[in-house]
C-alpha cells in the first residue's frame, strides 16, 4: 500500500503542481488513498520532496535514488536475526544495536498488523491487534530476514 501511495504521489507531482499538504491529501483521496496528516508528512519526508514557491517537487538529479533511505526489506535482512511469536505479540531479535533502526523502519511502514513497537538494544517487541495478524506478520518478517 505504501509503495503504491508513493508511486501515486510521484505521478501527481509530475503531472500537476501541488501547493500544500492538504491539496496533496485531497488529490490522494481522489485516487483512493485516504491518509492522515501524519502519514502524509512521513511520505513527504521519505520521498525527500521539497517545497518551493510553486509547491512540492520531487528531488532532482540522478543521485536522488542513490541517496534514498534503505527499505524495510534491506533493514530486516541486514539487522534481523529471528522472530518469535507470543500470542498477539512478536519478539524480533536483531544484531546488537540494530533494534532501533529496525523498529523505526517497521513504524514507518505503517503496516495494519502493527499496533506499535518497543525497541531495546537488540530486541523489539511488536504489538499486533490479534494472533492471526501476528502470524501473518511473522511470516512476512521471516521472508525479509532470509
Amino acid at each position: 500500500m505504501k509503495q503504491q501511495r508513493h508511486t501515486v504521489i510521484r505521478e501527481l507531482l509530475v503531472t500537476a503542481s501541488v501547493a500544500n499538504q492538504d491539496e496533496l491529501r485531497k488529490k490522494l483521496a481522489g485516487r483512493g488513498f485516504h491518509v492522515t496528516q501524519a502519514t502524509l508528512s512521513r511520505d513527504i519526508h521519505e520521498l525527500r520532496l521539497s517545497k518551493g514557491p510553486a509547491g512540492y517537487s520531487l528531488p532532482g538529479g540522478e543521485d536522488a535514488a542513490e541517496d534514498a533511505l534503505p527499505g524495510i526489506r534491506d533493514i530486516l535482512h541486514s539487522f534481523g536475526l529471528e522472530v518469535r511469536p507470543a500470542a498477539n505479540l512478536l519478539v524480533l531479535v536483531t544484531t546488537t544495536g540494530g533494534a532501533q533502526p529496525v523498529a523505526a523502519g517497521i513504524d514507518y511502514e505503517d503496516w495494519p498488523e502493527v499496533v506499535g513497537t518497543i525497541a531495546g538494544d537488540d530486541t523489539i517487541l511488536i504489538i499486533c491487534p490479534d494472533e492471526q495478524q501476528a502470524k501473518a506478520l511473522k511470516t512476512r518478517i521471516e521472508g525479509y530476514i532470509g
Side-chain angles (χ1 to χ4, degrees), residues 25-45:
R25 186 186 56 75
K26 288 176 183 173
K27 287 184 182 219
L28 280 171
R31 299 278 296 266
F33 293 92
H34 301 278
V35 297
T36 64
Q37 187 275 328
T39 298
L40 190 54
S41 290
R42 280 193 299 271
D43 288 346
I44 289 168
H45 176 76

Side-chain angles (χ1 to χ4, degrees), residues 40-118:
L40 190 54
S41 290
R42 280 193 299 271
D43 288 346
I44 289 168
H45 176 76
E46 290 169 7
L47 290 169
R48 296 182 179 217
L49 303 182
S50 56
K51 187 173 181 189
Y56 285 102
S57 62
L58 294 167
E62 294 177 13
D63 297 331
E66 293 176 15
D67 292 338
L69 297 173
I72 190 65
R73 289 174 194 245
D74 294 331
I75 291 170
L76 282 167
H77 185 73
S78 297
F79 296 104
L81 297 176
E82 177 185 5
V83 61
R84 301 177 200 150
N88 69 313
L89 307 173
L90 296 176
V91 175
L92 177 57
V93 180
T94 69
T95 57
T96 302
Q100 293 292 325
V102 173
I106 291 170
D107 289 340
Y108 277 121
E109 286 301 310
D110 202 24
W111 287 331
E113 302 95 338
V114 178
V115 174
T117 61
I118 300 171

Side-chain angles (χ1 to χ4, degrees), residues 5 12-14 16-17 19 25 28 30 35 48 50 71 77 87 98 114 119-120 125 130 135 138 140-141 144:
R5 191 174 63 244
L12 289 170
L13 294 177
V14 168
S17 66
R25 186 186 56 75
L28 280 171
V35 297
R48 296 182 179 217
S50 56
H77 185 73
V114 178
L125 177 64
D130 56 46
K135 278 184 176 181
K138 178 183 183 286
R140 181 188 307 166
I141 290 172
Y144 293 169

Side-chain angles (χ1 to χ4, degrees), residues 119-134:
D121 186 50
D122 63 356
T123 307
I124 303 166
L125 177 64
I126 304 171
I127 300 116
C128 301
D130 56 46
E131 278 188 63
Q132 183 180 6
Q133 292 186 56

